[in-house]
C-alpha cells in the first residue's frame, strides 16, 4: 500500500471507492435513526486534495478531500466524514442549533460539570490532554462538539454531564442542551483552561 500510495501521490492522483451518500451512511451507522435521517439530507462532496475537509454553513454542505481515503485509508475517511457530518448536525438539529448560535453555553456548562469526574474517564481525559488540546486554536468548542461523537460514540466513555448533553445524538436518550446547566462562553484561553 505504501508503494501504491507513493506512486499515486507522484502524479497527484486521488482514488476513492466510497461515494458521498454511502460514506455518510457509514459515518453515521452507529448513531440513532434520527441522526442518520438528518445526516442523509446533507449535500456531501469530494474534492481533489490530499487531506482536509469542512462544513460550509453558508451553503449547508460538507466537502471532504478525496485523498483522505486514498492516502489515509478507509477507517480514517469514515472518521473524517463523521466529524464533518456532526458540524452539519449541530447546524441543522433544532436542539443544538441555538447552543451553536449562542457560542455553546450549554456545552460550556456540560464541560464545567464534567471537570470533577474526568479522572473516572481516562480515555476521554487522555484524549483531551494528548490529542485535542495540542491542536491550539483549532481546539475550540465548535470542533469539540464534532470531535466527541467522532471519537466517543459510546456515551459510557464520557462524563455524565457530557453524556446528558450528547445523549440524543449518541444513543437517542433524553437530554441535550436543555438537560445541562449553562455557563457563559469565554475566549479560547478560558475554554482551554476549562477542559484542561
Amino acid at each position: 500500500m505504501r508503494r501504491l500510495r507513493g506512486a499515486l501521490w507522484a502524479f497527484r492522483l486521488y482514488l476513492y471507492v466510497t461515494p458521498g451518500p454511502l460514506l455518510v451512511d457509514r459515518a453515521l451507522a452507529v448513531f440513532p435513526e434520527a441522526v442518520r435521517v438528518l445526516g442523509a439530507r446533507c449535500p456531501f462532496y469530494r474534492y481533489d486534495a490530499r487531506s482536509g475537509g469542512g462544513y460550509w454553513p453558508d451553503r449547508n454542505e460538507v466537502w471532504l478531500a478525496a485523498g483522505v481515503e486514498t492516502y489515509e485509508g478507509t477507517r480514517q475517511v469514515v472518521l473524517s466524514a463523521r466529524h464533518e457530518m456532526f458540524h452539519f448536525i449541530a447546524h441543522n438539529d433544532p436542539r443544538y442549533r441555538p447552543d451553536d448560535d449562542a457560542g455553546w453555553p450549554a456545552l460550556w456548562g456540560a464541560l464545567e460539570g464534567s471537570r470533577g469526574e474526568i479522572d473516572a474517564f481516562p480515555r476521554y481525559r487522555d484524549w483531551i490532554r494528548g490529542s485535542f488540546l495540542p491542536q491550539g486554536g483549532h481546539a475550540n468548542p465548535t470542533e469539540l462538539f464534532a470531535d466527541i461523537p467522532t471519537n466517543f460514540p459510546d456515551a459510557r466513555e464520557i462524563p455524565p454531564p457530557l453524556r446528558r448533553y450528547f445523549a440524543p445524538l449518541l444513543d437517542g436518550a433524553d437530554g441535550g442542551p436543555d438537560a445541562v446547566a449553562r455557563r457563559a462562553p469565554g475566549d479560547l484561553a478560558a475554554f482551554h483552561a476549562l477542559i484542561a
Side-chain angles (χ1 to χ4, degrees), residues 36-92:
R36 295 191 314 269
V37 168
L38 179 57
R41 294 183 12 214
C42 179
F44 192 99
Y45 304 100
R46 308 294 288 275
Y47 65 97
D48 290 346
R50 184 167 179 143
S51 62
Y55 167 70
W56 278 260
D58 57 323
R59 297 189 310 249
N60 203 31
E61 59 193 30
V62 167
W63 287 75
L64 187 66
V68 174
E69 190 167 7
T70 310
Y71 300 103
E72 298 178 48
T74 54
R75 181 179 185 282
Q76 183 57 47
V77 77
V78 169
L79 293 176
S80 294
R82 181 179 296 168
H83 173 88
E84 300 306 339
M85 289 304 304
F86 272 95
H87 287 305
F88 174 86
I89 299 293
H91 195 74
N92 289 277

Side-chain angles (χ1 to χ4, degrees), residues 69-144:
E69 190 167 7
T70 310
Y71 300 103
E72 298 178 48
T74 54
R75 181 179 185 282
Q76 183 57 47
V77 77
V78 169
L79 293 176
S80 294
R82 181 179 296 168
H83 173 88
E84 300 306 339
M85 289 304 304
F86 272 95
H87 287 305
F88 174 86
I89 299 293
H91 195 74
N92 289 277
D93 187 305
R95 292 166 296 198
Y96 293 91
R97 174 73 184 266
D99 200 40
D100 182 356
D101 288 345
W104 304 104
L107 180 57
W108 280 71
L111 290 164
E112 184 173 55
S114 298
R115 287 177 59 110
E117 303 183 53
I118 194 168
D119 285 331
F121 299 88
R123 191 171 91 75
Y124 171 77
R125 177 200 63 215
D126 295 348
W127 174 81
I128 284 285
R129 294 176 182 163
S131 296
F132 186 73
L133 279 170
Q135 297 177 53
H138 194 69
N140 61 60
T142 299
E143 293 303 320
L144 183 66

